[in-house]
Amino acid sequence: MKSIKPGRGPSYMGAIGSLFTAGFGVIWTIAAISMGAPWFFPLFGVFFVVLAIVQGLYHKRNATGRDRMSLFDITDESEEGDTLDPRRREPSKPQGEGGFCPYCGARTEGDWSFCRKCGKSLN
């Protein structure tokens, strides 16, 4: 079953944006200190640098990781699992015990071959 994943491209763009944010923070901090600005102006620049580091690390992990939060790529289960899929966290029930349809979530019985709600094959 296909799932929609956040794309690696937007994550790489976020990482590049983090570099620009860090550069802005460094320039702001240096300019504020050299002009003798009050203490909160250089602190504002330091905040931007820290924000850029945290954001850059998050986007790097998201762009290079296997199971990542994604909004744009369409992947197959064999390629990558869906990190937001609650069925992924629950162990599947053995055949014959019933359970839930993997497509629509409707309750099923053990001997059913098709979902009575969406009509898709359960085998």
Side-chain angles (χ1 to χ4, degrees):
M1 182 163 104
K2 299 284 186 182
S3 64
I4 299 174
K5 305 289 291 173
R8 293 186 193 276
S11 293
Y12 280 120
M13 292 300 290
I16 291 170
S18 297
L19 293 175
F20 286 110
T21 303
F24 173 77
V26 168
I27 292 170
W28 180 279
T29 304
I30 292 171
I33 291 172
S34 67
M35 287 189 265
W39 64 271
F40 54 87
F41 283 101
L43 188 63
F44 185 70
V46 171
F47 169 75
F48 265 85
V49 172
V50 171
L51 179 72
I53 291 170
V54 170
Q55 185 180 23
L57 291 174
Y58 169 77
H59 284 299
K60 180 188 180 298
R61 184 187 68 79
N62 203 29
T64 59
R66 177 161 170 78
D67 286 332
R68 64 194 191 281
M69 168 58 189
S70 184
L71 302 173
F72 306 112
D73 289 345
I74 298 177
T75 60
D76 201 1
E77 283 180 351
S78 62
E79 299 168 351
E80 266 185 41
D82 186 359
T83 58
L84 299 177
D85 186 3
R87 291 171 288 144
R88 179 175 173 205
R89 295 181 193 98
E90 299 173 5
S92 60
K93 291 188 175 188
Q95 197 71 343
E97 287 187 22
F100 297 94
C101 174
Y103 303 102
C104 69
R107 184 169 293 281
T108 62
E109 295 296 325
D111 58 345
W112 291 1
S113 296
F114 294 92
C115 175
R116 290 192 181 180
K117 183 176 180 184
C118 68
K120 294 190 177 180
S121 175
L122 298 174
N123 296 330

PDB file of all heavy atoms in Angstrom, residues 45-82:
ATOM      1  N   GLY A  45      20.841  37.578  18.455  1.00  0.00           N
ATOM      2  CA  GLY A  45      21.657  36.909  17.434  1.00  0.00           C
ATOM      3  C   GLY A  45      22.069  35.509  17.859  1.00  0.00           C
ATOM      4  O   GLY A  45      22.058  34.574  17.056  1.00  0.00           O
ATOM      5  N   VAL A  46      22.428  35.355  19.132  1.00  0.00           N
ATOM      6  CA  VAL A  46      22.792  34.037  19.648  1.00  0.00           C
ATOM      7  C   VAL A  46      21.585  33.101  19.562  1.00  0.00           C
ATOM      8  O   VAL A  46      21.717  31.920  19.221  1.00  0.00           O
ATOM      9  CB  VAL A  46      23.326  34.146  21.096  1.00  0.00           C
ATOM     10  CG1 VAL A  46      23.498  32.773  21.722  1.00  0.00           C
ATOM     11  CG2 VAL A  46      24.636  34.913  21.116  1.00  0.00           C
ATOM     12  N   PHE A  47      20.393  33.622  19.843  1.00  0.00           N
ATOM     13  CA  PHE A  47      19.167  32.831  19.722  1.00  0.00           C
ATOM     14  C   PHE A  47      19.003  32.308  18.298  1.00  0.00           C
ATOM     15  O   PHE A  47      18.654  31.147  18.089  1.00  0.00           O
ATOM     16  CB  PHE A  47      17.960  33.681  20.127  1.00  0.00           C
ATOM     17  CG  PHE A  47      16.641  33.047  19.777  1.00  0.00           C
ATOM     18  CD1 PHE A  47      16.146  31.992  20.526  1.00  0.00           C
ATOM     19  CD2 PHE A  47      15.902  33.496  18.692  1.00  0.00           C
ATOM     20  CE1 PHE A  47      14.940  31.396  20.202  1.00  0.00           C
ATOM     21  CE2 PHE A  47      14.700  32.910  18.362  1.00  0.00           C
ATOM     22  CZ  PHE A  47      14.214  31.863  19.127  1.00  0.00           C
ATOM     23  N   PHE A  48      19.271  33.142  17.306  1.00  0.00           N
ATOM     24  CA  PHE A  48      19.160  32.708  15.913  1.00  0.00           C
ATOM     25  C   PHE A  48      20.168  31.613  15.589  1.00  0.00           C
ATOM     26  O   PHE A  48      19.861  30.670  14.854  1.00  0.00           O
ATOM     27  CB  PHE A  48      19.340  33.897  14.955  1.00  0.00           C
ATOM     28  CG  PHE A  48      18.047  34.508  14.544  1.00  0.00           C
ATOM     29  CD1 PHE A  48      17.432  35.463  15.333  1.00  0.00           C
ATOM     30  CD2 PHE A  48      17.428  34.120  13.378  1.00  0.00           C
ATOM     31  CE1 PHE A  48      16.225  36.015  14.960  1.00  0.00           C
ATOM     32  CE2 PHE A  48      16.225  34.665  12.993  1.00  0.00           C
ATOM     33  CZ  PHE A  48      15.621  35.615  13.789  1.00  0.00           C
ATOM     34  N   VAL A  49      21.376  31.707  16.133  1.00  0.00           N
ATOM     35  CA  VAL A  49      22.388  30.681  15.873  1.00  0.00           C
ATOM     36  C   VAL A  49      21.956  29.349  16.488  1.00  0.00           C
ATOM     37  O   VAL A  49      22.033  28.296  15.845  1.00  0.00           O
ATOM     38  CB  VAL A  49      23.771  31.127  16.397  1.00  0.00           C
ATOM     39  CG1 VAL A  49      24.772  29.997  16.307  1.00  0.00           C
ATOM     40  CG2 VAL A  49      24.264  32.343  15.633  1.00  0.00           C
ATOM     41  N   VAL A  50      21.480  29.381  17.729  1.00  0.00           N
ATOM     42  CA  VAL A  50      21.020  28.149  18.388  1.00  0.00           C
ATOM     43  C   VAL A  50      19.826  27.568  17.638  1.00  0.00           C
ATOM     44  O   VAL A  50      19.756  26.354  17.412  1.00  0.00           O
ATOM     45  CB  VAL A  50      20.674  28.427  19.871  1.00  0.00           C
ATOM     46  CG1 VAL A  50      19.989  27.235  20.513  1.00  0.00           C
ATOM     47  CG2 VAL A  50      21.926  28.806  20.645  1.00  0.00           C
ATOM     48  N   LEU A  51      18.890  28.402  17.244  1.00  0.00           N
ATOM     49  CA  LEU A  51      17.728  27.948  16.476  1.00  0.00           C
ATOM     50  C   LEU A  51      18.168  27.279  15.170  1.00  0.00           C
ATOM     51  O   LEU A  51      17.635  26.229  14.786  1.00  0.00           O
ATOM     52  CB  LEU A  51      16.804  29.125  16.174  1.00  0.00           C
ATOM     53  CG  LEU A  51      15.562  28.827  15.362  1.00  0.00           C
ATOM     54  CD1 LEU A  51      14.568  28.060  16.220  1.00  0.00           C
ATOM     55  CD2 LEU A  51      14.941  30.113  14.863  1.00  0.00           C
ATOM     56  N   ALA A  52      19.152  27.848  14.507  1.00  0.00           N
ATOM     57  CA  ALA A  52      19.645  27.286  13.247  1.00  0.00           C
ATOM     58  C   ALA A  52      20.290  25.927  13.459  1.00  0.00           C
ATOM     59  O   ALA A  52      20.113  25.018  12.651  1.00  0.00           O
ATOM     60  CB  ALA A  52      20.636  28.247  12.603  1.00  0.00           C
ATOM     61  N   ILE A  53      21.026  25.766  14.557  1.00  0.00           N
ATOM     62  CA  ILE A  53      21.672  24.480  14.829  1.00  0.00           C
ATOM     63  C   ILE A  53      20.625  23.396  15.079  1.00  0.00           C
ATOM     64  O   ILE A  53      20.681  22.305  14.502  1.00  0.00           O
ATOM     65  CB  ILE A  53      22.646  24.605  16.017  1.00  0.00           C
ATOM     66  CG1 ILE A  53      23.848  25.464  15.615  1.00  0.00           C
ATOM     67  CG2 ILE A  53      23.106  23.231  16.503  1.00  0.00           C
ATOM     68  CD1 ILE A  53      24.742  25.856  16.773  1.00  0.00           C
ATOM     69  N   VAL A  54      19.639  23.702  15.906  1.00  0.00           N
ATOM     70  CA  VAL A  54      18.586  22.717  16.210  1.00  0.00           C
ATOM     71  C   VAL A  54      17.805  22.377  14.949  1.00  0.00           C
ATOM     72  O   VAL A  54      17.566  21.199  14.638  1.00  0.00           O
ATOM     73  CB  VAL A  54      17.653  23.253  17.318  1.00  0.00           C
ATOM     74  CG1 VAL A  54      16.431  22.376  17.487  1.00  0.00           C
ATOM     75  CG2 VAL A  54      18.410  23.381  18.633  1.00  0.00           C
ATOM     76  N   GLN A  55      17.409  23.381  14.203  1.00  0.00           N
ATOM     77  CA  GLN A  55      16.640  23.158  12.981  1.00  0.00           C
ATOM     78  C   GLN A  55      17.469  22.400  11.940  1.00  0.00           C
ATOM     79  O   GLN A  55      16.970  21.512  11.259  1.00  0.00           O
ATOM     80  CB  GLN A  55      16.168  24.491  12.425  1.00  0.00           C
ATOM     81  CG  GLN A  55      15.268  24.364  11.233  1.00  0.00           C
ATOM     82  CD  GLN A  55      14.825  25.714  10.701  1.00  0.00           C
ATOM     83  OE1 GLN A  55      15.486  26.723  10.926  1.00  0.00           O
ATOM     84  NE2 GLN A  55      13.723  25.726   9.989  1.00  0.00           N
ATOM     85  N   GLY A  56      18.734  22.737  11.818  1.00  0.00           N
ATOM     86  CA  GLY A  56      19.605  22.057  10.858  1.00  0.00           C
ATOM     87  C   GLY A  56      19.770  20.580  11.178  1.00  0.00           C
ATOM     88  O   GLY A  56      19.728  19.727  10.290  1.00  0.00           O
ATOM     89  N   LEU A  57      19.951  20.253  12.466  1.00  0.00           N
ATOM     90  CA  LEU A  57      20.079  18.854  12.864  1.00  0.00           C
ATOM     91  C   LEU A  57      18.787  18.086  12.597  1.00  0.00           C
ATOM     92  O   LEU A  57      18.804  16.949  12.125  1.00  0.00           O
ATOM     93  CB  LEU A  57      20.461  18.753  14.343  1.00  0.00           C
ATOM     94  CG  LEU A  57      21.867  19.229  14.692  1.00  0.00           C
ATOM     95  CD1 LEU A  57      22.071  19.217  16.197  1.00  0.00           C
ATOM     96  CD2 LEU A  57      22.914  18.368  14.001  1.00  0.00           C
ATOM     97  N   TYR A  58      17.648  18.709  12.888  1.00  0.00           N
ATOM     98  CA  TYR A  58      16.358  18.057  12.632  1.00  0.00           C
ATOM     99  C   TYR A  58      16.183  17.775  11.144  1.00  0.00           C
ATOM    100  O   TYR A  58      15.830  16.670  10.746  1.00  0.00           O
ATOM    101  CB  TYR A  58      15.211  18.932  13.138  1.00  0.00           C
ATOM    102  CG  TYR A  58      13.862  18.445  12.657  1.00  0.00           C
ATOM    103  CD1 TYR A  58      13.257  17.347  13.236  1.00  0.00           C
ATOM    104  CD2 TYR A  58      13.220  19.071  11.592  1.00  0.00           C
ATOM    105  CE1 TYR A  58      12.034  16.882  12.776  1.00  0.00           C
ATOM    106  CE2 TYR A  58      11.997  18.609  11.123  1.00  0.00           C
ATOM    107  CZ  TYR A  58      11.408  17.525  11.722  1.00  0.00           C
ATOM    108  OH  TYR A  58      10.213  17.063  11.268  1.00  0.00           O
ATOM    109  N   HIS A  59      16.442  18.765  10.307  1.00  0.00           N
ATOM    110  CA  HIS A  59      16.242  18.594   8.870  1.00  0.00           C
ATOM    111  C   HIS A  59      17.249  17.607   8.275  1.00  0.00           C
ATOM    112  O   HIS A  59      16.917  16.868   7.351  1.00  0.00           O
ATOM    113  CB  HIS A  59      16.311  19.926   8.144  1.00  0.00           C
ATOM    114  CG  HIS A  59      15.081  20.749   8.315  1.00  0.00           C
ATOM    115  ND1 HIS A  59      13.846  20.338   7.896  1.00  0.00           N
ATOM    116  CD2 HIS A  59      14.884  21.956   8.896  1.00  0.00           C
ATOM    117  CE1 HIS A  59      12.940  21.251   8.187  1.00  0.00           C
ATOM    118  NE2 HIS A  59      13.548  22.243   8.800  1.00  0.00           N
ATOM    119  N   LYS A  60      18.470  17.586   8.793  1.00  0.00           N
ATOM    120  CA  LYS A  60      19.459  16.616   8.299  1.00  0.00           C
ATOM    121  C   LYS A  60      18.995  15.201   8.619  1.00  0.00           C
ATOM    122  O   LYS A  60      19.048  14.316   7.774  1.00  0.00           O
ATOM    123  CB  LYS A  60      20.825  16.860   8.920  1.00  0.00           C
ATOM    124  CG  LYS A  60      21.864  15.875   8.418  1.00  0.00           C
ATOM    125  CD  LYS A  60      23.151  16.004   9.177  1.00  0.00           C
ATOM    126  CE  LYS A  60      24.187  15.016   8.685  1.00  0.00           C
ATOM    127  NZ  LYS A  60      23.812  13.624   8.857  1.00  0.00           N
ATOM    128  N   ARG A  61      18.505  14.974   9.837  1.00  0.00           N
ATOM    129  CA  ARG A  61      18.013  13.654  10.213  1.00  0.00           C
ATOM    130  C   ARG A  61      16.801  13.279   9.365  1.00  0.00           C
ATOM    131  O   ARG A  61      16.659  12.151   8.922  1.00  0.00           O
ATOM    132  CB  ARG A  61      17.645  13.617  11.691  1.00  0.00           C
ATOM    133  CG  ARG A  61      17.224  12.231  12.169  1.00  0.00           C
ATOM    134  CD  ARG A  61      16.704  12.236  13.579  1.00  0.00           C
ATOM    135  NE  ARG A  61      15.446  12.923  13.724  1.00  0.00           N
ATOM    136  CZ  ARG A  61      14.254  12.417  13.406  1.00  0.00           C
ATOM    137  NH1 ARG A  61      14.178  11.213  12.896  1.00  0.00           N
ATOM    138  NH2 ARG A  61      13.148  13.097  13.585  1.00  0.00           N
ATOM    139  N   ASN A  62      15.940  14.244   9.128  1.00  0.00           N
ATOM    140  CA  ASN A  62      14.735  13.985   8.350  1.00  0.00           C
ATOM    141  C   ASN A  62      15.062  13.723   6.879  1.00  0.00           C
ATOM    142  O   ASN A  62      14.383  12.949   6.219  1.00  0.00           O
ATOM    143  CB  ASN A  62      13.772  15.161   8.475  1.00  0.00           C
ATOM    144  CG  ASN A  62      12.341  14.773   8.194  1.00  0.00           C
ATOM    145  OD1 ASN A  62      11.943  13.647   8.407  1.00  0.00           O
ATOM    146  ND2 ASN A  62      11.566  15.725   7.729  1.00  0.00           N
ATOM    147  N   ALA A  63      16.085  14.344   6.365  1.00  0.00           N
ATOM    148  CA  ALA A  63      16.437  14.176   4.955  1.00  0.00           C
ATOM    149  C   ALA A  63      17.226  12.897   4.706  1.00  0.00           C
ATOM    150  O   ALA A  63      17.138  12.321   3.631  1.00  0.00           O
ATOM    151  CB  ALA A  63      17.251  15.374   4.470  1.00  0.00           C
ATOM    152  N   THR A  64      17.974  12.427   5.697  1.00  0.00           N
ATOM    153  CA  THR A  64      18.827  11.263   5.479  1.00  0.00           C
ATOM    154  C   THR A  64      18.312  10.005   6.151  1.00  0.00           C
ATOM    155  O   THR A  64      18.797   8.919   5.873  1.00  0.00           O
ATOM    156  CB  THR A  64      20.261  11.545   5.985  1.00  0.00           C
ATOM    157  OG1 THR A  64      20.201  11.863   7.376  1.00  0.00           O
ATOM    158  CG2 THR A  64      20.890  12.679   5.215  1.00  0.00           C
ATOM    159  N   GLY A  65      17.322  10.123   7.040  1.00  0.00           N
ATOM    160  CA  GLY A  65      16.826   8.956   7.766  1.00  0.00           C
ATOM    161  C   GLY A  65      15.923   8.072   6.925  1.00  0.00           C
ATOM    162  O   GLY A  65      15.320   8.508   5.941  1.00  0.00           O
ATOM    163  N   ARG A  66      15.801   6.826   7.334  1.00  0.00           N
ATOM    164  CA  ARG A  66      14.960   5.882   6.603  1.00  0.00           C
ATOM    165  C   ARG A  66      13.489   6.116   6.931  1.00  0.00           C
ATOM    166  O   ARG A  66      12.693   6.342   6.043  1.00  0.00           O
ATOM    167  CB  ARG A  66      15.362   4.455   6.937  1.00  0.00           C
ATOM    168  CG  ARG A  66      14.485   3.432   6.256  1.00  0.00           C
ATOM    169  CD  ARG A  66      15.149   2.075   6.219  1.00  0.00           C
ATOM    170  NE  ARG A  66      14.218   1.056   5.785  1.00  0.00           N
ATOM    171  CZ  ARG A  66      13.860   0.838   4.541  1.00  0.00           C
ATOM    172  NH1 ARG A  66      14.340   1.599   3.589  1.00  0.00           N
ATOM    173  NH2 ARG A  66      13.011  -0.126   4.233  1.00  0.00           N
ATOM    174  N   ASP A  67      13.110   6.035   8.192  1.00  0.00           N
ATOM    175  CA  ASP A  67      11.732   6.293   8.599  1.00  0.00           C
ATOM    176  C   ASP A  67      11.655   7.740   9.051  1.00  0.00           C
ATOM    177  O   ASP A  67      12.068   8.083  10.135  1.00  0.00           O
ATOM    178  CB  ASP A  67      11.316   5.362   9.741  1.00  0.00           C
ATOM    179  CG  ASP A  67      11.071   3.956   9.258  1.00  0.00           C
ATOM    180  OD1 ASP A  67      10.694   3.808   8.080  1.00  0.00           O
ATOM    181  OD2 ASP A  67      11.250   3.024  10.055  1.00  0.00           O
ATOM    182  N   ARG A  68      11.135   8.571   8.197  1.00  0.00           N
ATOM    183  CA  ARG A  68      11.119   9.994   8.495  1.00  0.00           C
ATOM    184  C   ARG A  68       9.701  10.518   8.359  1.00  0.00           C
ATOM    185  O   ARG A  68       8.878   9.951   7.660  1.00  0.00           O
ATOM    186  CB  ARG A  68      12.040  10.737   7.531  1.00  0.00           C
ATOM    187  CG  ARG A  68      11.549  10.621   6.103  1.00  0.00           C
ATOM    188  CD  ARG A  68      12.613  11.053   5.113  1.00  0.00           C
ATOM    189  NE  ARG A  68      12.059  11.186   3.797  1.00  0.00           N
ATOM    190  CZ  ARG A  68      11.807  10.199   2.979  1.00  0.00           C
ATOM    191  NH1 ARG A  68      12.060   8.970   3.346  1.00  0.00           N
ATOM    192  NH2 ARG A  68      11.303  10.412   1.791  1.00  0.00           N
ATOM    193  N   MET A  69       9.428  11.602   8.999  1.00  0.00           N
ATOM    194  CA  MET A  69       8.141  12.265   8.860  1.00  0.00           C
ATOM    195  C   MET A  69       8.155  12.981   7.522  1.00  0.00           C
ATOM    196  O   MET A  69       9.060  13.740   7.229  1.00  0.00           O
ATOM    197  CB  MET A  69       7.958  13.247  10.017  1.00  0.00           C
ATOM    198  CG  MET A  69       6.823  14.186   9.866  1.00  0.00           C
ATOM    199  SD  MET A  69       5.280  13.315   9.679  1.00  0.00           S
ATOM    200  CE  MET A  69       4.225  14.659   9.274  1.00  0.00           C
ATOM    201  N   SER A  70       7.161  12.735   6.672  1.00  0.00           N
ATOM    202  CA  SER A  70       7.176  13.304   5.343  1.00  0.00           C
ATOM    203  C   SER A  70       5.780  13.668   4.873  1.00  0.00           C
ATOM    204  O   SER A  70       4.812  13.081   5.296  1.00  0.00           O
ATOM    205  CB  SER A  70       7.793  12.304   4.379  1.00  0.00           C
ATOM    206  OG  SER A  70       7.912  12.858   3.121  1.00  0.00           O
ATOM    207  N   LEU A  71       5.703  14.616   3.974  1.00  0.00           N
ATOM    208  CA  LEU A  71       4.423  15.061   3.454  1.00  0.00           C
ATOM    209  C   LEU A  71       4.284  14.932   1.947  1.00  0.00           C
ATOM    210  O   LEU A  71       3.188  15.046   1.431  1.00  0.00           O
ATOM    211  CB  LEU A  71       4.192  16.529   3.828  1.00  0.00           C
ATOM    212  CG  LEU A  71       4.210  16.847   5.314  1.00  0.00           C
ATOM    213  CD1 LEU A  71       4.140  18.333   5.523  1.00  0.00           C
ATOM    214  CD2 LEU A  71       3.097  16.140   6.029  1.00  0.00           C
ATOM    215  N   PHE A  72       5.371  14.681   1.221  1.00  0.00           N
ATOM    216  CA  PHE A  72       5.314  14.809  -0.220  1.00  0.00           C
ATOM    217  C   PHE A  72       5.635  13.557  -1.018  1.00  0.00           C
ATOM    218  O   PHE A  72       5.111  13.385  -2.084  1.00  0.00           O
ATOM    219  CB  PHE A  72       6.243  15.933  -0.674  1.00  0.00           C
ATOM    220  CG  PHE A  72       5.957  17.224   0.028  1.00  0.00           C
ATOM    221  CD1 PHE A  72       6.849  17.757   0.914  1.00  0.00           C
ATOM    222  CD2 PHE A  72       4.767  17.896  -0.186  1.00  0.00           C
ATOM    223  CE1 PHE A  72       6.584  18.935   1.574  1.00  0.00           C
ATOM    224  CE2 PHE A  72       4.490  19.071   0.476  1.00  0.00           C
ATOM    225  CZ  PHE A  72       5.403  19.588   1.344  1.00  0.00           C
ATOM    226  N   ASP A  73       6.526  12.683  -0.564  1.00  0.00           N
ATOM    227  CA  ASP A  73       6.898  11.503  -1.328  1.00  0.00           C
ATOM    228  C   ASP A  73       5.843  10.418  -1.177  1.00  0.00           C
ATOM    229  O   ASP A  73       5.271  10.239  -0.108  1.00  0.00           O
ATOM    230  CB  ASP A  73       8.234  10.941  -0.852  1.00  0.00           C
ATOM    231  CG  ASP A  73       9.409  11.811  -1.231  1.00  0.00           C
ATOM    232  OD1 ASP A  73       9.220  12.688  -2.089  1.00  0.00           O
ATOM    233  OD2 ASP A  73      10.493  11.619  -0.670  1.00  0.00           O
ATOM    234  N   ILE A  74       5.597   9.674  -2.228  1.00  0.00           N
ATOM    235  CA  ILE A  74       4.702   8.526  -2.151  1.00  0.00           C
ATOM    236  C   ILE A  74       5.588   7.290  -2.222  1.00  0.00           C
ATOM    237  O   ILE A  74       6.307   7.076  -3.195  1.00  0.00           O
ATOM    238  CB  ILE A  74       3.670   8.528  -3.295  1.00  0.00           C
ATOM    239  CG1 ILE A  74       2.799   9.778  -3.174  1.00  0.00           C
ATOM    240  CG2 ILE A  74       2.838   7.267  -3.254  1.00  0.00           C
ATOM    241  CD1 ILE A  74       1.790   9.940  -4.278  1.00  0.00           C
ATOM    242  N   THR A  75       5.589   6.496  -1.154  1.00  0.00           N
ATOM    243  CA  THR A  75       6.457   5.340  -1.066  1.00  0.00           C
ATOM    244  C   THR A  75       5.641   4.074  -0.883  1.00  0.00           C
ATOM    245  O   THR A  75       4.485   4.108  -0.498  1.00  0.00           O
ATOM    246  CB  THR A  75       7.440   5.475   0.109  1.00  0.00           C
ATOM    247  OG1 THR A  75       6.684   5.580   1.310  1.00  0.00           O
ATOM    248  CG2 THR A  75       8.323   6.685  -0.050  1.00  0.00           C
ATOM    249  N   ASP A  76       6.264   2.954  -1.149  1.00  0.00           N
ATOM    250  CA  ASP A  76       5.650   1.654  -0.962  1.00  0.00           C
ATOM    251  C   ASP A  76       6.097   1.112   0.395  1.00  0.00           C
ATOM    252  O   ASP A  76       7.157   1.485   0.895  1.00  0.00           O
ATOM    253  CB  ASP A  76       6.112   0.727  -2.087  1.00  0.00           C
ATOM    254  CG  ASP A  76       5.187  -0.442  -2.298  1.00  0.00           C
ATOM    255  OD1 ASP A  76       4.180  -0.522  -1.573  1.00  0.00           O
ATOM    256  OD2 ASP A  76       5.468  -1.257  -3.184  1.00  0.00           O
ATOM    257  N   GLU A  77       5.314   0.206   0.997  1.00  0.00           N
ATOM    258  CA  GLU A  77       5.675  -0.359   2.289  1.00  0.00           C
ATOM    259  C   GLU A  77       7.017  -1.064   2.247  1.00  0.00           C
ATOM    260  O   GLU A  77       7.736  -1.107   3.230  1.00  0.00           O
ATOM    261  CB  GLU A  77       4.606  -1.331   2.764  1.00  0.00           C
ATOM    262  CG  GLU A  77       3.375  -0.658   3.303  1.00  0.00           C
ATOM    263  CD  GLU A  77       2.334  -1.663   3.768  1.00  0.00           C
ATOM    264  OE1 GLU A  77       2.498  -2.870   3.527  1.00  0.00           O
ATOM    265  OE2 GLU A  77       1.359  -1.222   4.369  1.00  0.00           O
ATOM    266  N   SER A  78       7.372  -1.638   1.099  1.00  0.00           N
ATOM    267  CA  SER A  78       8.656  -2.327   0.998  1.00  0.00           C
ATOM    268  C   SER A  78       9.817  -1.332   1.000  1.00  0.00           C
ATOM    269  O   SER A  78      10.936  -1.689   1.338  1.00  0.00           O
ATOM    270  CB  SER A  78       8.697  -3.171  -0.273  1.00  0.00           C
ATOM    271  OG  SER A  78       8.585  -2.340  -1.415  1.00  0.00           O
ATOM    272  N   GLU A  79       9.564  -0.076   0.616  1.00  0.00           N
ATOM    273  CA  GLU A  79      10.613   0.946   0.603  1.00  0.00           C
ATOM    274  C   GLU A  79      10.782   1.575   1.977  1.00  0.00           C
ATOM    275  O   GLU A  79      11.879   1.656   2.501  1.00  0.00           O
ATOM    276  CB  GLU A  79      10.278   2.038  -0.406  1.00  0.00           C
ATOM    277  CG  GLU A  79      10.171   1.541  -1.815  1.00  0.00           C
ATOM    278  CD  GLU A  79       9.561   2.577  -2.733  1.00  0.00           C
ATOM    279  OE1 GLU A  79       9.071   3.607  -2.278  1.00  0.00           O
ATOM    280  OE2 GLU A  79       9.570   2.321  -3.934  1.00  0.00           O
ATOM    281  N   GLU A  80       9.695   2.035   2.542  1.00  0.00           N
ATOM    282  CA  GLU A  80       9.712   2.711   3.835  1.00  0.00           C
ATOM    283  C   GLU A  80       8.375   2.558   4.503  1.00  0.00           C
ATOM    284  O   GLU A  80       7.343   2.662   3.871  1.00  0.00           O
ATOM    285  CB  GLU A  80       9.961   4.212   3.648  1.00  0.00           C
ATOM    286  CG  GLU A  80      11.373   4.610   3.753  1.00  0.00           C
ATOM    287  CD  GLU A  80      11.531   6.105   3.675  1.00  0.00           C
ATOM    288  OE1 GLU A  80      10.745   6.850   4.261  1.00  0.00           O
ATOM    289  OE2 GLU A  80      12.464   6.518   3.006  1.00  0.00           O
ATOM    290  N   GLY A  81       8.383   2.334   5.794  1.00  0.00           N
ATOM    291  CA  GLY A  81       7.143   2.272   6.536  1.00  0.00           C
ATOM    292  C   GLY A  81       6.613   3.662   6.811  1.00  0.00           C
ATOM    293  O   GLY A  81       7.344   4.648   6.757  1.00  0.00           O
ATOM    294  N   ASP A  82       5.347   3.752   7.107  1.00  0.00           N
ATOM    295  CA  ASP A  82       4.738   5.033   7.441  1.00  0.00           C
ATOM    296  C   ASP A  82       4.881   5.269   8.930  1.00  0.00           C
ATOM    297  O   ASP A  82       4.356   4.516   9.742  1.00  0.00           O
ATOM    298  CB  ASP A  82       3.255   5.023   7.034  1.00  0.00           C
ATOM    299  CG  ASP A  82       2.591   6.362   7.218  1.00  0.00           C
ATOM    300  OD1 ASP A  82       3.262   7.303   7.684  1.00  0.00           O
ATOM    301  OD2 ASP A  82       1.398   6.467   6.893  1.00  0.00           O
TER     302      ASP A  82
END
